[in-house]
Amino acid sequence: MPCMTAVVQTEGLTKFYGKRRGLEDLTLEIRPGEVFGYLGPNGAGKTTTIRLLLDVIRPTRGVARLFGADPRDAAVRGRVGYLPGELALEGREKASEYLAYLAGVRGGIGKGMIETLAERLEVDLSVRMGRLSKGNKQKVGLIQAFMHEPDLLILDEPTSGLDPLVQQEFLAMVREARTAGRTVLMSSHVLAEVEHVSNRVGIVRRGRLVAVEDIAALREKAVRKVELHFDAPVPEEAFRDLPGVRDLKIEGAALSCTIDGRPDALIKAAARFTVVHLVSAEPDLEEIFLTYYSEDVHHAHVGA
Amino acid sequence: MPMLVRKTLREYRRALIGWTIGICTFIGLYVSFFPQMRDNPDFYSQAALAKYPEGVRKLMGGLENFTSGAGFLQAVVYQLFVPLLFIMCAVILGNKAIAAPEESGTLELTVTLPVDRKRLVLERFAALAAGLLAVAVVSLTVLTVLAAAVDMDVPFGRILAAHIALYLLVLFFGTLALTVGAATGNKGLAMGVAGAYAVAGYVFTALSRDSQVMDVLSRLTPFHYYSEGNPLVNGLPVGDCLVLLAGTAVLALTAVLSFDRRDVGV
């Protein structure tokens, strides 16, 4: 059962590799039942954070807690399913044998879990691990992370190497985990991979957490490209200076613009004419996301 | 059997089989020469004297009276070649315990399992000890049967004693590789330290009768405690074996404590 204390909690978590900064002063809380997207470019500190949380490496300063306990406690790690960013599977052992071994170390898992997951992800587990393709290794990694139905899933770049259909299946698995009340921390360098399943995203850059945002709030701020087609040419004045509307272009009966945040004003203005066609691209969260990278300013809702 | 021990032994299986076959083949080839040597003692003693310069003979344990059963076994099995092969096997397996999986990246997932790090190292060590024991038992059996077949006339108790000392020597070096790997995560370093210590130890011990310095140095190496008591003649040197065991225990403890303290895979 998820408890009410934070599932993941860090305070001033810092890791230096010699003089090189891996992560500095990370303070973060992930609540029970939340899906948290952890974003940043390669080398920003995502994997360092995750390894600290799982006690693979030890902090230079600060603390990390899982379920209120030190991750050095083996029992706490038993409640976590972990997919490493660079999953190494090798040798002559069959994937099914390896999974059975992991299940055994974890004290047994639900009957048929491995087979069910293998079917969902469409992977043949009778193959020797050294012969698995990158994508299939990733699938085996996902199976071992999900198979014991852990309270917390920590997934480092889970979608890398998966083809789009399998990515969809994986996202469905994450949604199911969330519905079941589990907590998920997943990292990515692409927002698009996590935005549809995450409640919040944190953005890490050069070893520092620069922002934590609600996905819904981020979507409000999102830039959206909109095209409207009318049955007759429309006057430009009717759309000029609408709040949130930028890059307005009107050519005869066609209007195109970008919208910051809500499209409400544009829709109301357009309602006075006859709209025959409306195209609205998915809000480009990536674009907002990138503004965090291009600015050195701290957009702080850190620890919100 | 604990999960990790079983898993580690499964990883060792192919290497264990290969090394066992290698060591037993070697023993078989050399022991099969024994009848010829026994029947022409003068010829072979002269040949050995003529073939090897004195320095080399010393390194090979003197090659004195190797036409007797015990002398022959000492010279061809227990002196150099079998310990050398067996130590190579142990160092390679010791490296597979921590350093090799750490360098290949497979250790990362293992340390995140609900297994205490101390227990992880201990179970890997247990698997190493068990795997090497299997090689020792099989090679002992083969040697005993062959020695009887060629009428070597060495009592089983003496062969057993020599093999126990051999096992403890080999376990020491395997554990040394495991420990350097556990402390540093560096496969090459573990291999280098164990290999250099084995070669230096062997040379110091072989030349220990020549000089005071070598004699003192040899006491710092496991070979001294392995060969000093001459178990093929005198039976099990209990004190020396305890020194080897104690050395292994200290190494294993060092492995457990140092692996528990450090970052993995950085």
Side-chain angles (χ1 to χ4, degrees), chain B residues 160-173:
Chain B
L160 177 66
H163 234 76
I164 289 174
L166 175 66
Y167 172 68
L168 293 176
L169 174 78
V170 163
L171 180 62
F172 176 91
F173 281 107

Side-chain angles (χ1 to χ4, degrees), chain A residues 30-65:
Chain A
I30 300 175
R31 297 177 287 250
E34 182 171 41
V35 176
F36 190 90
Y38 196 51
L39 299 172
N42 295 329
K46 303 186 301 280
T47 298
T48 295
T49 308
I50 284 172
R51 285 185 169 156
L52 285 165
L53 291 177
L54 282 147
D55 191 48
V56 176
I57 56 176
R58 306 285 165 61
T60 310
R61 284 192 301 278
V63 287
R65 300 196 158 274

Side-chain angles (χ1 to χ4, degrees), chain B residues 93-109:
Chain B
L93 294 185
N95 239 337
K96 281 192 178 191
I98 304 281
E102 181 162 357
E103 283 195 7
S104 74
T106 56
L107 190 65
E108 172 160 349
L109 196 56

Side-chain angles (χ1 to χ4, degrees), chain A residues 15 51 55 58 82 93, chain B residues 7 10 108 260 263:
Chain A
K15 179 68 185 178
R51 285 185 169 156
D55 191 48
R58 306 285 165 61
Y82 170 48
E93 199 175 22
Chain B
K7 159 83 173 159
R10 213 160 57 212
E108 172 160 349
D260 195 43
D263 294 350

Side-chain angles (χ1 to χ4, degrees), chain B residues 112-184:
Chain B
T112 66
L113 294 171
V115 177
D116 194 75
R117 285 229 198 149
K118 295 189 180 90
R119 220 186 96 199
L120 172 69
V121 177
L122 275 179
E123 292 200 15
R124 294 278 198 184
F125 169 70
L128 175 69
L132 294 176
L133 185 63
V135 180
V137 168
V138 174
S139 58
L140 172 66
T141 310
V142 168
L143 179 58
T144 306
V145 170
L146 289 175
V150 299
D151 291 326
M152 211 168 249
D153 200 24
V154 182
F156 173 71
R158 294 292 187 260
I159 299 181
L160 177 66
H163 234 76
I164 289 174
L166 175 66
Y167 172 68
L168 293 176
L169 174 78
V170 163
L171 180 62
F172 176 91
F173 281 107
T175 310
L176 178 61
L178 178 146
T179 302
V180 177
T184 66

